[in-house]
Amino acid sequence: MARFCVCAASEPAHPGVADAHLARMGARVVAPGLGLVPNEPGTAEGPFEAAGMRAVGEVTLHNRAALRAALATDGAPAPSGCRDGELLLRCWARLGAAGVALAEGMFALAVLDGADLVLIRDHVGARTLFHARADGVWAAATSLRALRRWPALGTRVNLSAVRSFLTFAYLPGDETLLEGVHEVLPGRVLRLAADGGVTETVYWEPRERLDGASDAEPGGHVLGLRALLEEATARRLPAAEAVGVLLSGGIDSSLVTALAAKLHGHPVHTYSISFGGELPNELGYSGLVAAHCHTRHRVLTVSGTAVAARLADTAALLDSPVGDPLTVPNLLLAEAVAGDGLTTVLNGEGGDPVFGGPKNLPMLVQEMHAGSPGAAGTPWYEDRATAYLRSYRKCWTDLPRLLTPDALDALGSAPAPQRFVAPYLTGPDRMPHLLNQLLHCNLRTKGAHHILTKVERLTASQGLEGRAPLFDRRVVDHAFAVPPTLKLRGTVEKWVLKEAVRDLLPATVVDRPKSGMRVPVQQWLGGPLRELAGDLLLGRAARRRGLFRPDTVRTWMRGEGTLLPRQGGKLWLLLTLELWLRAYDL
């Protein structure tokens, strides 16, 4: 397993300069300017060559035949046995951004094109790619840790990203916690020139294309979606081997399970989590789906003690922290899947950010009140972007009493975190309908920078590929061509998605309200994690870093102050961030 790292020097006539930088980042040079970072979980391969360009990448394509046909039509057929990375490079070299847009899959590709470095990231962000510049050299990597090791960069903590993480529980845009290091956004091609110039090309962005579509005759939308769901799932099934599915019991993972069972000619294994019988859970639903679909089903019971033991190692696997208490359980599931000898595991991620889950409700209510006469002059009125940040219910409103005066002062001139969501909610190119604005925002922020990156990093650590059929590009395009009233139909969320698979699942599963998994964060923090949290958040390293006010942390750990009823989730963010910073020696 390996990640990749690439360097382009401002003087390409001296390739040894770039290779020396690669060596300092811990990469093994495989061609001038191109390196693989060993012993990191990933699928990096290379070098690939085409049209005078060289590349390395982490590339998994789901539509090889279509891409080879496009190249053949253009007069440049690709060898039938070429690897996925070479095929994508040929599409870029021959067809440019249009060729990349044709690809369906998970990919990050770095291309040396003369003196320029070209970075390509897949449509939705299933694979992650970072870049930075120092000493006249561009460096890019799928390993943030490699860039952290780069002496020329001299990285330190990016305070703006700290604030973003505490606001969202993930990093929603191109910033990282390493100052000077940026993330390539999904659906983009970046050309990094030798003189330091950056050119960004957007080759795919979801668009609202209703084209006169009506909700009066929904059958066409339902049938069209069903066909796309079947094809998206079929493309992601492994050839001639069993497949795993992470099954929570909700509609999204249940429909993926049902489609996999219908379409796959090999065993389907399903995996669910339990936190103990005393807590509300969805095991009745997941068990019902597993029995209905005749899968080989396993339930993993995750204890607070196990979470405490594995939390630091799990945080270290992520290139950016994710304040999701399901990270350790997700890793344990990946270990179980790999332990059963599987190489591919599907999931139901994508249903909420694409088809309209319940977390849009606070914003819809806000808009209803904001539209009333005189609302703009009331004390509670907020613009959409600010209301969106508040709807996350993380630490954004607590920052004045959570961050130290020095940290707050340093952030005084930093751009506000609203900038990450404003283009989708208030910008001139926003989608016309509010629900689609919210879904577009969810897709491009939480989808790309929380859901997909967490799945990819944790599954890759076990030698697995985690695949998400509901994030399929054509499924996403179809979702934004469906009238919003068919996604949120009366009080029924994700209506069109449910109708598309109604015949595959018991009505009890299709029509159930979304409840979500109850994660006992508060119990963990009051039990197995209590001592660890105190040692880390109030310890010498945290005090020396100077981010958080110790008096506020102590108050929160006692369950006091204005934090209730979400002190567990907020403390979890602080703990996750502290563990990540320690893992990266920051």
Side-chain angles (χ1 to χ4, degrees):
M1 295 193 296
R3 300 284 183 195
F4 72 71
C5 193
V6 178
C7 282
S10 57
E11 299 181 22
H14 303 285
V17 172
D19 292 349
H21 284 281
L22 286 175
R24 294 186 187 103
M25 286 183 258
R28 175 174 60 87
V29 177
V30 294
L34 306 177
L36 298 181
V37 183
N39 303 319
E40 287 202 29
T43 59
E45 292 184 308
F48 314 115
E49 295 189 16
M53 302 179 190
R54 302 190 313 277
V56 289
E58 295 191 45
V59 181
T60 300
L61 298 175
H62 302 316
N63 64 335
R64 284 180 56 90
L67 297 178
R68 294 186 68 246
L71 288 172
T73 300
D74 196 64
S80 60
C82 71
R83 291 175 288 179
D84 284 0
E86 180 185 343
L87 181 55
L88 185 62
L89 174 61
R90 288 176 178 272
C91 288
W92 164 252
R94 187 71 181 184
L95 305 172
V100 175
L102 291 174
E104 182 63 61
M106 309 181 293
F107 50 85
L109 188 72
V111 183
L112 289 177
D113 182 6
D116 293 352
L117 174 57
V118 177
L119 307 179
I120 302 171
R121 189 177 179 192
D122 64 68
H123 303 71
V124 293
R127 296 262 162 82
T128 311
L129 182 55
F130 307 96
H131 64 94
R133 184 172 174 84
D135 285 357
V137 175
W138 281 112
T142 49
S143 164
L144 194 70
R145 191 168 267 107
L147 295 176
R148 171 71 180 98
R149 291 192 293 260
W150 192 16
L153 194 58
T155 53
R156 59 181 180 177
V157 176
N158 179 2
L159 272 179
S160 176
V162 169
R163 180 174 62 182
S164 297
F165 174 75
L166 296 172
T167 299
F168 292 90
Y170 59 91
L171 297 182
D174 68 342
E175 66 179 354
T176 73
L177 277 164
L178 301 184
E179 195 171 79
V181 179
H182 298 276
E183 184 176 330
V184 179
L185 295 177
R188 268 65 170 175
V189 175
L190 285 188
R191 182 174 286 273
L192 310 178
D195 62 3
V198 179
T199 303
E200 181 181 78
T201 299
V202 179
Y203 69 82
W204 180 80
E205 188 66 37
R207 301 294 180 206
E208 184 178 290
R209 293 187 174 92
L210 301 183
D211 297 329
S214 170
D215 61 358
E217 297 181 2
H221 299 293
V222 171
L223 293 175
L225 176 57
R226 171 59 173 270
L228 290 172
L229 289 173
E230 292 203 6
E231 188 168 352
T233 303
R235 284 179 167 185
R236 287 163 176 79
L237 292 170
E241 63 180 77
V243 67
V245 184
L246 304 183
L247 175 60
S248 70
I251 183 63
D252 303 331
S253 62
S254 296
L255 75 87
V256 171
T257 299
L259 287 170
K262 174 187 175 182
L263 300 170
H264 203 36
H266 300 272
V268 176
H269 298 243
T270 48
Y271 302 81
S272 299
I273 295 174
S274 169
F275 296 114
E278 69 278 6
L279 291 171
N281 59 65
E282 299 184 299
L283 294 179
Y285 292 106
S286 61
L288 176 62
V289 172
H292 181 78
C293 298
H294 306 290
T295 69
R296 301 179 183 182
H297 191 52
R298 288 181 59 183
V299 177
L300 277 71
T301 299
V302 178
S303 68
T305 302
V307 171
R310 302 296 301 277
L311 186 56
D313 291 342
T314 306
L317 291 172
L318 302 172
D319 285 305
S320 295
V322 174
D324 180 350
L326 283 172
T327 49
V328 172
N330 289 155
L331 178 61
L332 296 177
L333 281 174
E335 290 177 349
V337 175
D340 286 342
L342 307 183
T343 62
T344 303
V345 59
L346 307 185
N347 60 68
E349 302 287 9
D352 284 352
V354 175
F355 289 97
K359 292 188 177 179
N360 296 295
L361 182 59
M363 285 297 296
L364 296 174
V365 172
Q366 155 76 11
E367 191 71 13
M368 179 179 67
H369 287 290
S372 61
T378 60
W380 51 262
Y381 178 81
E382 289 179 320
D383 63 90
R384 281 183 184 172
T386 301
Y388 190 91
L389 300 191
R390 188 182 299 277
S391 75
Y392 265 74
R393 301 179 69 196
K394 304 302 181 185
C395 292
W396 182 63
T397 58
D398 303 295
L399 293 177
R401 56 184 173 275
L402 172 60
L403 297 179
T404 63
D406 287 346
L408 289 170
D409 186 60
L411 284 167
S413 59
Q418 284 91 333
R419 72 189 187 277
F420 295 115
V421 301
Y424 309 104
L425 303 176
T426 60
D429 297 326
R430 67 186 184 277
M431 294 186 181
H433 289 80
L434 175 62
L435 180 61
N436 283 340
Q437 293 172 17
L438 297 172
L439 298 182
H440 191 194
C441 188
N442 293 342
L443 176 73
R444 281 317 204 189
T445 55
K446 187 173 184 178
H449 301 286
H450 171 182
I451 297 172
L452 286 166
T453 187
K454 181 188 72 167
V455 168
E456 197 275 335
R457 290 307 194 224
L458 296 182
T459 54
S461 74
Q462 304 305 309
L464 298 171
E465 275 204 346
R467 300 177 179 178
L470 295 182
F471 274 115
D472 182 273
R473 169 177 53 88
R474 293 179 307 157
V475 170
V476 174
D477 283 336
H478 184 84
F480 286 108
V482 171
T485 49
L486 295 184
K487 285 175 281 195
L488 180 58
R489 193 168 178 83
T491 59
V492 180
E493 295 147 348
K494 299 187 282 191
W495 181 88
V496 67
L497 184 64
K498 294 175 179 178
E499 292 304 307
V501 296
R502 179 170 290 279
D503 62 307
L504 294 175
L505 293 164
T508 304
V509 174
V510 175
D511 296 324
R512 58 165 293 206
K514 183 179 178 68
S515 59
M517 184 176 295
R518 174 83 177 272
V519 185
V521 174
Q522 196 64 46
Q523 293 182 20
W524 295 342
L525 289 168
L529 280 168
R530 181 176 180 81
E531 185 175 349
L532 175 65
D535 289 346
L536 289 174
L537 297 179
L538 298 171
R540 182 180 301 174
R543 294 199 308 271
R544 185 172 60 248
R545 202 178 292 112
L547 294 176
F548 306 132
R549 291 176 48 174
D551 57 329
T552 298
V553 174
R554 290 190 186 95
T555 299
W556 287 13
M557 292 189 69
R558 291 195 300 265
E560 298 173 358
T562 60
L563 192 58
L564 291 172
R566 297 182 64 85
Q567 70 264 35
K570 295 184 179 185
L571 277 171
W572 187 267
L573 293 187
L574 305 190
L575 180 57
T576 301
L577 177 61
E578 177 65 25
L579 285 169
W580 189 93
L581 291 171
R582 289 180 180 228
Y584 278 75
D585 193 28
L586 289 166

